[in-house]
Amino acid sequence: MSSSEFPDPLRELATEETSPAMSPPLGQLEDSDLNISSGDLSRPESLGASGMLTSPFLGMTEARSPSLELPEPLPTANQEAIHFLASLMPEEFKNIYFTETLMTVSDTGKEIGEFTVTMQPILYHSFPGLSIHANSHGSIDSIPCGTSISAYISLELETLEQYHQEYIKLKDQPLMKKTDIKREPHGYVVTCETTSKQTVTTETLTFSLEEMLGFMSEASNLALLRILAQRNKFSDDMVFLSFDSEMKLSTSTYMNLGHRTMKIGKQERDVLGIQRTIHSERSGPMSWQSNFLPSGHLTSRVQVGSPATMVLTQLPHLREVDEEEPKPVFEKKPLIWEEDLQLYSKFIDRTEALKADYNSYLRHHPELRSLLADFLEFLLLRKPEDVITFAAEYFAPFSAFHTEGNAFHTSNKPSPFKEREDLK
């Protein structure tokens, strides 16, 4: 979906499709509209002109033959657009994760299709990113048509993978187009496959990473529009890159259309209008105007010059932002646990528990009482000045590492725990 609208079959398409001289022309499927301008598909020169959720790739039915002429220089994105993508913060993506559904209506108010888009956070090869799925289908002049996008993009809106399929079920001659864009280590590989009746044409193009700097795929465009709507104000000078209807790299711009009041269901809401334009050198500029709520929800979308419009029929449930209350500040108070009933009760309980534990240990080891009684009795009989040394000598025989020595010891022997000066 490089342009993102639905193809626009003509009423005379039913008669033209039977002509062997010309295969039925196909419109363009841009990323999110079911816009079809009556008469476009009746003219061969309208191939690739933007229709409803059409892609600028639709309209190619055969591979281009190689040219001997020197290739034209590719357009480039400007520094302002590149700096904008580099300035995106993860917080800006938190409020764009949702699913929204819009109805596509004709200029007479008749429902002719539906558009659904879903955005979710993912981990792509362990790196945070977005998963985007968009689907648009409908019936124009009783001819079913539709498009779908499945893509993965980074938080810098860099396209990692995008799979895009478009179809239009003409009588006895269905047309289908598949376009795959994948980022490889060396650059981007773009594969376009067109099926008409039993004829399948495939074309593959490659672009370096430098050539695709600032590239906005249709999936990236869906996310970018919502971020711009949430920012409310943005510069109109940013120039990005996009594919046009002939799979040529072209410049694309975004214009702030300002605020206006829009009726959604029975309620009126303030919306911000944004216009995206792909400036194709061959097919001319193609523009789409979208309106968004401050939350980033899409309320309407229309291709300039198309009679079909995508509209939001029911106001979505908007989650109010929770205001964080300031954390309470508690003054430090001196703790007097004896006056605190709860702490004092815990102290009493802990004291009783320790007493019970100690008494239980003494009951299971009666030899401890005898040992302590003997030591105290011997201590009181000797009355040594250095109690610590006396106790060490008394309990030394109980040690497994004790070596037998002289059984006669003096009570005033210097303590082995104190440093002694060398005798001179």
Side-chain angles (χ1 to χ4, degrees), residues 266-328:
K266 297 182 180 180
Q267 303 182 43
E268 291 188 351
R269 287 290 186 270
D270 179 71
V271 297
L272 173 67
I274 303 175
Q275 176 173 295
R276 181 200 187 198
T277 302
I278 298 179
H279 305 274
S280 173
E281 294 183 358
R282 297 194 178 187
S283 57
M286 299 175 291
S287 300
W288 295 266
Q289 294 181 353
S290 306
N291 291 297
F292 295 89
L293 293 171
S295 61
H297 286 80
L298 179 66
T299 60
S300 69
R301 182 181 180 87
V302 61
Q303 182 184 357
V304 176
S306 172
T309 305
M310 288 185 170
V311 294
L312 185 66
T313 58
Q314 185 177 359
L315 193 66
H317 175 71
L318 302 179
R319 185 183 64 180
E320 296 182 357
V321 179
D322 296 333
E323 295 184 0
E324 295 186 2
E325 297 182 358
K327 295 182 179 180

Side-chain angles (χ1 to χ4, degrees), residues 27-79:
Q28 203 180 10
L29 284 165
E30 164 59 352
D31 60 28
S32 61
D33 295 324
L34 191 64
N35 297 342
I36 297 185
S37 56
S38 178
D40 281 349
L41 291 182
S42 64
R43 301 187 300 272
E45 61 271 18
S46 68
L47 286 178
S50 163
M52 295 190 37
L53 186 66
T54 63
S55 161
F57 302 160
L58 263 179
M60 294 179 51
T61 55
E62 62 181 40
R64 298 190 296 271
S65 59
S67 173
L68 298 179
E69 299 178 359
L70 293 176
E72 298 178 359
L74 295 176
T76 58
N78 65 5
Q79 288 299 317

Side-chain angles (χ1 to χ4, degrees), residues 134-145:
N135 180 66
S136 181
H137 62 86
S139 179
I140 308 299
D141 292 339
S142 301
I143 300 177
C145 54

Side-chain angles (χ1 to χ4, degrees), residues 103-291:
M103 301 303 298
T104 304
V105 297
S106 64
D107 52 355
T108 60
K110 180 182 177 181
E111 293 186 2
I112 57 176
E114 185 180 72
F115 167 69
T116 303
V117 60
T118 301
M119 297 188 185
Q120 294 178 335
I122 62 163
L123 286 178
Y124 185 88
H125 298 306
S126 302
F127 292 97
L130 279 77
S131 170
I132 299 179
H133 298 276
N135 180 66
S136 181
H137 62 86
S139 179
I140 308 299
D141 292 339
S142 301
I143 300 177
C145 54
T147 183
S148 63
I149 288 179
S150 180
Y152 305 103
I153 66 175
S154 69
L155 296 186
E156 291 78 28
L157 301 186
E158 182 182 24
T159 303
L160 306 173
E161 294 182 36
Q162 177 176 287
Y163 305 97
H164 175 205
Q165 179 174 330
E166 307 161 277
Y167 70 88
I168 178 169
K169 296 182 179 180
L170 301 172
K171 185 179 180 181
D172 301 328
Q173 190 175 354
L175 300 177
M176 180 177 293
K177 187 177 185 64
K178 296 179 181 179
T179 305
D180 296 344
I181 303 175
K182 190 167 184 180
R183 186 189 188 281
E184 302 288 353
H186 61 277
Y188 281 85
V189 178
V190 181
T191 304
C192 182
E193 179 183 293
T194 304
T195 303
S196 177
K197 286 189 175 180
Q198 303 300 322
T199 304
V200 179
T201 304
T202 303
E203 182 177 11
T204 301
L205 297 177
T206 59
F207 300 89
S208 67
L209 296 179
E210 291 75 15
E211 292 172 337
M212 298 290 278
L213 195 61
F215 172 68
M216 279 290 107
S217 66
E218 293 313 310
S220 299
N221 170 62
L222 292 174
L224 175 60
L225 286 171
R226 284 151 180 80
I227 292 176
L228 293 177
Q230 291 180 358
R231 286 196 176 188
N232 194 11
K233 294 181 180 180
F234 59 91
S235 173
D236 295 342
D237 299 328
M238 295 185 296
V239 178
F240 298 90
L241 293 178
S242 298
F243 282 120
D244 66 4
S245 60
E246 298 184 8
M247 214 160 108
K248 290 285 189 178
L249 270 182
S250 304
T251 58
S252 61
T253 57
Y254 294 82
M255 179 186 297
N256 191 334
L257 301 179
H259 290 265
R260 69 182 184 89
T261 301
M262 180 178 178
K263 189 173 184 180
I264 305 173
K266 297 182 180 180
Q267 303 182 43
E268 291 188 351
R269 287 290 186 270
D270 179 71
V271 297
L272 173 67
I274 303 175
Q275 176 173 295
R276 181 200 187 198
T277 302
I278 298 179
H279 305 274
S280 173
E281 294 183 358
R282 297 194 178 187
S283 57
M286 299 175 291
S287 300
W288 295 266
Q289 294 181 353
S290 306
N291 291 297

